[in-house]
Amino acid sequence: MAYDAVFVSTAWLAERLDAPDIVVVDGSWYLPAQNRDAAAEYAERRIPGAVRFDIDAVKDSASDLPHMLPRPEAFAAAVGALGIGDGMRIVVYDGPGLFSAPRVRWTFKTCGARDVVILEGGFAAWEKENRPIEHGAPRARAARSFTARLDHSAVATADDVARALDAGSAQIIDARPADRFRGEAAEPRPGVRSGHMPGALNVQATALVADGRFKDAPALAAAFADAGTDLDRPVITSCGSGVTAAILATALETIGKPVRALYDGSWSEWGASDRPIATGPAKPR
């Protein structure tokens, strides 16, 4: 899929802010170490008319894992209440430019939204270009009807990952920092072991992004190739909790190599279980 089928520019959005079939979604989410409050930032300033989608609120409430994909009926109710309905073009952004927006886009698409794009450069670019910013209480949107249809094929379970590793049917690519992948740094979540799935590869999500945007296509392809990825073979992406795994998936999509699935539970699930782990550099099977 072409880059321009995944991203829209700030200029493109600025020209269409009042279009009735477009809804802008602030999908900002931050790690504790980033010391940022997504809800407070949205309340203070946002792209005019934007609604806020919180992955920690719209999630599978039956799971004790962080921000797991919500059930279709819960997703439909949540986004319908935000004024997002069938047939709308959804433009997602986040504060830094390219961090949580890919996860929000993946969530929408996996739950049945057909037309979801990411604002290139995010709110940081929008603000830097002195484009209009809305302050004060957000504008309420009229509720709409959203038909959710879960694409099960886009979501990998721990068993799916284990089978893929055993059979060599897909490459598992982990987006976490290299020191956590190698088991040299502690995981931020209590009770989660350090290391990686035996046979997994490591492409740090941060290595793909510069100034809130993806690097160019050759640089993206090189980052995956340097990690030992065969771009012509199926890929399942993973990370700490399913957020930066979506950055990997989106990067591959933009260079025409869509992934098989995203491991939603990611290392938060695998590392807290009794499944096998490895430490040190990646040793592909």
Side-chain angles (χ1 to χ4, degrees):
M1 180 174 287
Y3 188 91
D4 59 5
V6 179
F7 291 89
V8 294
S9 69
T10 52
W12 183 95
L13 180 60
E15 293 175 358
R16 296 166 175 82
L17 269 182
D18 296 326
D21 61 338
I22 290 177
V23 58
V24 182
V25 175
D26 183 337
S28 300
W29 177 88
Y30 301 108
L31 294 164
Q34 291 172 287
N35 197 30
R36 293 180 66 169
D37 185 329
E41 290 182 12
Y42 170 78
E44 180 183 347
R45 63 194 194 282
R46 61 198 159 273
I47 293 176
V51 298
R52 180 169 183 260
F53 183 88
D54 183 356
I55 61 173
D56 281 333
V58 187
K59 63 178 182 178
D60 182 358
S61 58
S63 174
D64 59 359
L65 294 169
H67 36 256
M68 291 285 284
L69 195 70
R71 296 183 183 279
E73 58 274 16
F75 181 83
V79 300
L82 291 174
I84 303 173
D86 294 335
M88 301 186 77
R89 167 162 268 204
I90 301 160
V91 181
V92 182
Y93 73 88
D94 62 39
L98 195 61
F99 183 63
S100 57
R103 169 69 191 206
V104 173
R105 177 176 180 265
W106 177 82
T107 299
F108 271 87
K109 290 183 70 67
T110 303
C111 288
R114 295 184 178 180
D115 192 354
V116 193
V117 290
I118 297 169
L119 180 65
E120 186 178 31
F123 188 77
W126 184 271
E127 189 172 39
K128 184 177 181 180
E129 294 166 7
N130 295 314
R131 299 195 183 273
I133 294 176
E134 183 177 77
H135 302 271
R139 288 181 263 165
R141 295 176 60 93
R144 292 184 178 245
S145 175
F146 182 91
T147 305
R149 300 180 181 89
L150 181 61
D151 180 3
H152 293 278
S153 67
V155 188
T157 66
D159 286 341
D160 293 331
V161 170
R163 284 192 290 267
L165 288 168
D166 288 343
S169 57
Q171 303 161 100
I172 312 303
I173 307 182
D174 190 325
R176 289 177 299 150
D179 56 354
R180 288 168 56 192
F181 178 88
R182 294 192 300 260
E184 298 167 357
E187 286 295 308
R189 293 177 177 86
V192 179
R193 299 169 295 168
S194 296
H196 59 269
M197 304 148 197
L201 303 173
N202 182 216
V203 177
Q204 296 182 77
T206 53
L208 307 179
V209 179
D211 297 323
R213 293 173 169 84
F214 276 136
K215 297 178 180 178
D216 62 28
L220 296 181
F224 285 99
D226 290 347
T229 308
D230 181 345
L231 292 176
D232 293 323
R233 291 184 55 223
V235 166
I236 296 172
T237 60
S238 181
C239 61
S241 65
V243 175
T244 56
I247 296 178
L248 301 190
T250 305
L252 288 167
E253 182 182 359
T254 64
I255 61 173
K257 303 293 182 179
V259 303
R260 172 181 291 179
L262 183 151
Y263 176 22
D264 200 17
S266 282
W267 196 251
S268 293
E269 180 179 35
W270 191 285
S273 72
D274 59 359
R275 294 181 183 272
I277 65 169
T279 55
K283 297 178 181 178
R285 293 180 176 178

